Amino acid sequence: MKILITGGAGFIGSNLAKYFMDKHEVLVVDKFRSNETFSNGNLKSFGHYKNLIGFKGQIHCGDICDRDTIKKMREFKPDVIYHEAAISDTTVAEQDEIMRVNLNSFKDIIDIAYENGSKLIYASSGATYGDAPSPQSVGKGENPGNVYGFSKLMMDEMGREFNAKTGLHIVGLRYFNVYGDGEFYKNKTASMVLQFGLQILSGKAPRLFEGSDKIKRDFIYIQDIILANELAINGDSGVYNVGTGNARSFQDIADILQREIGVNLGNEYIANPFASQYQFFTQADIEPTRTGLKYEPRWSLEDAIKDYLPAIKRIYNSEFK
Ligand SMILES: NC(=O)c1ccc[n+]([C@@H]2O[C@H](COP(=O)([O-])OP(=O)(O)OC[C@H]3O[C@@H](n4cnc5c(N)ncnc54)[C@H](O)[C@@H]3O)[C@@H](O)[C@H]2O)c1
């Protein structure tokens, strides 16, 4: 098959690219990074060439909002499109740029899929729910707390509408909090698994928000994200949660890491500057994902952190020290 992966130099996209490259013809499209930043000080895009070292396939550097890039993607005639490119930073305030990059470009991607009869599988987000009660279920009380979550919710609406009108295979995957190898280049927006891991390896106590034993999220390992994406090729069209179905605390992460690394550095607690738009408890309802995609998560937080730790140590030694 010919597989197009937008955002393929990012965390999740590069994992998909490397997973599929041996069996399929893969085209990665990504704008990579420049030194441009948003008003929150974070980079405008997090794509990094190092995520693609060892990748075998085509790479096109370009912005998914540009005509030339759209032409390139169309001419590739993909059988499957994994659309991961987005402004992925939930703390970006520029509503215009988020809506343009995340939502407008989605219509162009849908058009490319329609013209080629491609199966379209795209990244939505648990951020669509905002403070909706747990467990979060698709179609129940979505109330995004930031424009990023809103843009993903509107992508879900657009995808559903287009699928209903045309029957095109469109699967939206609402990833919850993803962690795993390849996320280092997301800088400050990388998961707390990596950030606590690097703090602990530096000999520092992990820095947690106050009350972190009660702040719980559905943390999901990259291997389960790859699994859901692969299953989505032959699953039913629709919007699905991709989590574990379990909520675990940030304190759990810090404790597991200290145990696995074999240290006890205590904890440092700091005030939460994002409290007004923060998700304090997320837990994905994955029953419809089990039915529609035959998805069953394989990784517990304990097993996944153990699996991820050699990569965290590698990053610490090669990039962080
Ligand atoms: N990581 C998570 O926990 C998580 C959770 C929910 C949803 N998601 C979604 O999953 C997808 C992948 O996320 P990620 O964690 O790999 O983030 P990421 O930032 O590492 O990947 C996104 C990639 O898109 C690229 N990109 C951004 N704007 C672009 C543009 N205009 N043109 C071309 N490329 C562009 C970036 O360079 C980057 O490589 C995103 O859509 C994100 O919103 C991620």
Side-chain angles (χ1 to χ4, degrees), residues 206-247:
R207 281 162 66 90
L208 297 114
F209 291 149
E210 284 157 357
S212 275
D213 54 332
K214 290 183 192 68
I215 308 176
K216 295 188 178 182
R217 296 274 179 88
D218 194 327
F219 298 102
I220 175 89
Y221 194 40
I222 186 67
Q223 301 301 336
D224 280 332
I225 293 289
I226 294 172
L227 173 69
N229 274 283
E230 187 169 37
L231 292 169
I233 296 177
N234 293 315
D236 299 335
S237 288
V239 176
Y240 299 97
N241 286 337
V242 185
T244 61
N246 295 311

Side-chain angles (χ1 to χ4, degrees), residues 6-14 29-33 44-48 51 62-65 69 83-89 101-102 105 122-127 148 152 155 173-179 182-183 185-186 189 191 220:
T6 72
F11 166 35
I12 295 170
S14 64
V29 169
D30 201 296
K31 70 185 279 190
F32 289 75
R33 65 181 55 199
K44 285 205 165 178
S45 56
F46 293 114
H48 200 295
N51 282 332
D63 193 308
I64 49 165
C65 302
T69 310
H83 177 46
E84 308 298 313
I87 296 173
S88 63
D89 181 349
V101 173
N102 292 8
S105 65
Y122 69 92
S124 181
S125 172
Y148 164 81
K152 294 284 180 180
M155 285 172 71
L173 299 175
R174 287 187 179 169
Y175 306 148
F176 277 60
N177 280 70
V178 191
Y179 61 100
E183 64 171 318
Y185 300 105
K186 291 180 69 173
T189 73
S191 80
I220 175 89

Side-chain angles (χ1 to χ4, degrees), residues 62-77:
D63 193 308
I64 49 165
C65 302
D66 287 351
R67 291 291 123 196
D68 285 353
T69 310
I70 293 168
K71 184 163 173 273
K72 173 81 189 172
M73 294 192 286
R74 177 175 287 120
E75 287 172 357
F76 181 64
K77 297 188 187 308

Side-chain angles (χ1 to χ4, degrees), residues 186-201:
K186 291 180 69 173
N187 301 354
K188 274 194 271 177
T189 73
S191 80
M192 292 319 294
V193 177
L194 178 62
Q195 301 198 41
F196 292 153
L198 294 174
Q199 289 162 9
I200 294 165
L201 289 171

